[in-house]
Amino acid sequence: MSEWTPAAPTTAGGEPRSDAASVSDEAARERLRYLRGSIDNLDAALVHLLAERFKCTQQVGELKARHSLPPADPAREATQIARLRRLAEDAKLDPAFAEKFLNFIIEEVVRHHKAIAQNAGAEENSA
C-alpha cells in the first residue's frame, strides 16, 4: 500500500508552483495574518475609546439637563470639526472621512442629550 502524499502546489492556472512561490505565498499569508491581528487590536481599542467618550458625553448631557442647557452646541461642534479635520490632515487621513465620522458621533451624542433632557423633564413633572 502506498503512502499518501499531498499534491504539489499549483498556480491559479493549475501549473506546478515553484518552491520559491510557495515560500513567498506563505510569507504573504503570514504577513496578512499579522496585519489583520493589528487591525483587530485597533478595532478593539476604538470600541473602548468610544465607550469612554460616551461615558463623558453622558455626564455632559446630565449636566446640560440639570442646568436647562440645549442638547446641541453648534459653535462647539463646528470648532471640533475644524480641529478634527486639521488632526486628520496631519495624520494623513482623509479629512472628509474624519468629518463624517465626527458628525456621526455628534448626532448620536445630541440624540442621547435630548433623551436625557426629556427624562429629566419627565422626572421633574412627576415630582
Side-chain angles (χ1 to χ4, degrees):
M1 181 176 237
S2 66
E3 200 172 296
W4 179 84
T5 56
T10 59
T11 65
E15 299 296 319
R17 188 180 312 233
S18 71
D19 287 342
S22 295
V23 169
S24 175
D25 287 351
E26 182 55 36
R29 283 191 292 277
E30 183 58 36
R31 180 73 177 150
L32 185 59
R33 279 190 292 274
Y34 171 81
L35 292 170
R36 286 179 172 164
S38 292
I39 290 168
D40 293 349
N41 290 340
L42 290 165
D43 287 345
L46 283 170
V47 167
H48 289 283
L49 287 169
L50 285 170
E52 286 302 310
R53 189 184 196 288
F54 276 93
K55 287 176 188 175
C56 291
T57 60
Q58 176 79 16
Q59 292 176 35
V60 168
E62 291 165 359
L63 184 64
K64 285 180 172 183
R66 276 195 305 274
H67 295 279
S68 301
L69 296 170
D73 185 346
R76 163 114 173 120
E77 293 162 15
T79 299
Q80 287 299 94
I81 288 168
R83 181 178 150 273
L84 194 68
R85 285 185 69 92
R86 286 190 304 275
L87 287 170
E89 288 172 4
D90 291 346
K92 308 292 188 255
L93 178 68
D94 179 6
F97 169 77
E99 183 173 344
K100 286 178 192 174
F101 183 70
L102 185 59
N103 277 327
F104 174 76
I105 292 171
I106 289 170
E107 287 173 22
E108 194 64 15
V109 167
V110 170
R111 188 178 69 77
H112 288 179
H113 288 185
K114 286 178 180 177
I116 292 167
Q118 286 175 346
N119 289 341
E123 288 174 10
E124 284 179 13
N125 291 338
S126 66

